[in-house]
Amino acid sequence: MGANRTVSVDLKAHPYKVHIGEGLLAHVGEIARESSLAGLAAILTDEHVAKLYSEPLRRSLEQEGFVVSSQVVESGESSKSLAVAERVCEALAQSGINRRSFIVALGGGVIGDLAGFVAAIYYRGIPVIHVPTTVMAQVDSSIGGKTAVNLRAGKNLVGAFHQPRVIIADTDTLKTLGRREWNEGFAEVIKYGVIRDASLLSQLEQGITSMPDLVEHCVKIKASYVVEDEFETTGNRALLNFGHTLGHAIEAVAGYGKLLHGEAIALGMIAALDVSVRRAGLSAEEAKRVKAVIERYELPNRLPGEISLAAILSTVFADKKFVDGRIRFVVSPQLGKAVLADDIVQADLELALDSIR
Ligand SMILES: NC(=O)c1ccc[n+]([C@@H]2O[C@H](COP(=O)([O-])OP(=O)(O)OC[C@H]3O[C@@H](n4cnc5c(N)ncnc54)[C@H](O)[C@@H]3O)[C@@H](O)[C@H]2O)c1
Ligand SMILES: [Zn+2]
């Protein structure tokens, strides 16, 4: 594991490490031991990932003496539901998983959010470790302890904060991603470039030379927001929602699974760039630069034709509080910076949505 790196998420109550590098899947058992885990290991994964990585993961855990059970759910956003969470809990109980056991989330953000949610509620909370296998999950969703399932009314409306014991991001697993799944993860990398570190945008423009380096860079950024504002109470962590207010609404209105999360967020970001140009002083050139990177990753820049703007707006209204007709909305005044504006009005959102119609 020599060339691999670790980033610490230094939360006071429960600090943990993110291991990043090639070939780490074979070391999950060892790392779980070092992380003081014991008892039964319950792997939760989806159909696609199970075929590729369940067996090597199981071997690694068994080599360290863990007794392993595994559960496979359907691939895709529709598995982030209360119904699936209930089925998973029932199956865990059938397998004898208890508070001395732990869950291993093997997969993308859908599995991470579902497994994290189940780990948060099963026996009022058991440990979870994340073994993220998508760009999205390695650079963003596995870090930070936000877990959730969806309701028809909106994304992530039922959930809990539950930090993982440890995260193991094997960048070799990314090699089997389909083109669309590979590209969508870069939406969150672009987001970090806009809100925090414009050098990421230059890297994306020039072409990525090392995925472990890129993942490490992004994990450090995400970890810093999480450590500063674990429960999203100071407003700082909320800056990570750049592109997400409209993006989540677009994702829900399109129908879960129609657009991948990163694809919906790309659309939400283009709209948020439009708001930023009109209301926060971002230059049109800067916005254009980000849009070019979004296009480079073959992410959508137009809403699918059948989506109605009114439906998107009413989903935003249901989800977010409008106070005196204004909404809190993350804007970027300059690439590499973001602020929470509290004076954005419905007309701003309408114009922004028009820009992606
Ligand atoms: N909790 C958070 O902080 C947070 C942050 C960002 C996103 N998310 C959530 O993450 C979810 C999106 O995650 P995602 O984009 O990883 O989607 P996903 O988990 O659905 O994975 C995308 C597809 O790739 C397949 N796949 C996964 N790993 C693979 C591999 N190595 N090789 C081949 N195929 C593989 C999956 O089976 C799936 O079909 C959304 O629900 C979003 O809300 C959560
Ligand atoms: Zn996201």
Side-chain angles (χ1 to χ4, degrees):
M1 289 194 285
N4 293 317
R5 34 221 78 225
T6 57
V7 176
S8 299
V9 184
D10 285 320
L11 289 165
K12 279 199 194 75
H14 30 237
Y16 55 93
K17 288 204 171 77
V18 186
H19 298 259
I20 301 154
E22 293 160 355
L24 283 180
L25 201 58
H27 299 280
V28 171
E30 209 175 311
I31 295 169
R33 270 280 170 246
E34 283 164 10
S35 311
S36 313
L37 289 161
L40 303 174
I43 299 173
L44 182 62
T45 188
D46 74 26
E47 284 168 334
H48 296 153
V49 181
K51 288 193 193 97
L52 296 161
Y53 303 114
S54 259
E55 276 318 302
L57 175 62
R58 175 186 285 271
R59 274 199 298 282
S60 165
L61 288 160
E62 286 177 348
Q63 264 163 20
E64 288 294 316
F66 292 106
V67 175
V68 181
S69 71
S70 86
Q71 280 193 60
V72 182
V73 300
E74 259 178 47
S75 300
E77 188 70 27
S78 59
S79 282
K80 265 179 66 173
S81 73
L82 280 168
V84 174
E86 180 182 4
R87 279 207 294 281
V88 171
C89 288
E90 292 287 0
L92 291 176
Q94 292 292 322
S95 316
I97 303 296
N98 60 29
R99 60 172 59 83
R100 291 181 305 280
S101 317
F102 63 101
I103 294 179
V104 185
L106 172 69
V110 164
I111 287 299
D113 281 10
L114 173 69
F117 178 63
V118 166
I121 59 175
Y122 187 72
Y123 277 84
R124 299 195 189 85
I126 67 171
V128 61
I129 71 178
H130 286 292
V131 183
T133 64
T134 61
V135 176
M136 169 70 61
Q138 295 196 357
V139 302
D140 187 348
S141 63
S142 64
I143 309 116
K146 274 194 182 179
T147 78
V149 295
N150 304 322
L151 296 180
R152 267 184 292 275
K155 280 271 294 181
N156 301 335
L157 290 189
V158 179
F161 283 97
H162 189 57
Q163 299 291 343
R165 181 68 62 88
V166 66
I167 300 172
I168 302 149
D170 181 343
T171 51
D172 280 340
T173 61
L174 305 177
K175 292 175 184 158
T176 51
L177 284 171
R179 194 180 174 103
R180 208 179 147 196
E181 286 73 19
W182 168 267
N183 282 333
E184 64 122 5
F186 284 87
E188 308 285 5
V189 182
I190 295 168
K191 176 186 81 182
Y192 295 138
V194 172
I195 68 169
R196 177 68 165 261
D197 183 350
S199 81
L200 275 170
L201 296 172
S202 320
Q203 282 183 49
L204 296 178
E205 284 161 347
Q206 281 149 27
I208 297 305
T209 50
S210 156
M211 275 313 276
D213 284 349
L214 181 77
V215 172
E216 181 184 16
H217 192 154
C218 292
V219 168
K220 282 183 175 159
I221 292 177
K222 174 88 187 247
S224 70
Y225 285 100
V226 171
V227 168
E228 247 176 14
D229 184 13
E230 180 178 0
F231 299 109
E232 205 168 310
T233 44
T234 70
N236 234 322
R237 186 169 178 172
L239 299 178
L240 290 168
N241 293 335
F242 180 79
H244 282 62
T245 297
L246 289 169
H248 277 162
I250 291 167
E251 195 177 352
V253 172
Y256 295 124
K258 180 100 192 329
L259 289 167
L260 293 171
H261 176 69
E263 294 172 340
I265 293 318
L267 289 164
M269 286 195 294
I270 297 176
L273 287 166
D274 183 79
V275 176
S276 300
V277 169
R278 275 184 297 98
R279 299 296 310 275
L282 183 73
S283 74
E285 290 71 39
E286 288 175 298
K288 212 167 133 197
R289 180 179 171 202
V290 179
K291 282 185 231 164
V293 181
I294 289 174
E295 276 159 30
R296 184 185 171 122
Y297 281 89
E298 298 169 354
L299 291 161
N301 53 15
R302 289 269 170 273
L303 288 168
E306 69 276 16
I307 293 189
S308 100
L309 300 196
I312 298 172
L313 282 174
S314 66
T315 304
V316 172
F317 293 146
D319 189 27
K320 300 274 172 221
K321 272 200 206 83
F322 277 78
V323 180
D324 297 332
R326 295 170 199 184
I327 185 178
R328 272 152 57 104
F329 193 87
V330 185
V331 291
S332 170
Q334 185 191 335
L335 293 185
K337 288 197 170 60
V339 292
L340 203 50
D342 57 9
D343 59 349
I344 303 304
V345 296
Q346 181 174 337
D348 294 316
L349 303 190
E350 284 169 0
L351 286 170
L353 286 171
D354 252 340
S355 76
I356 51 171
R357 188 143 60 162

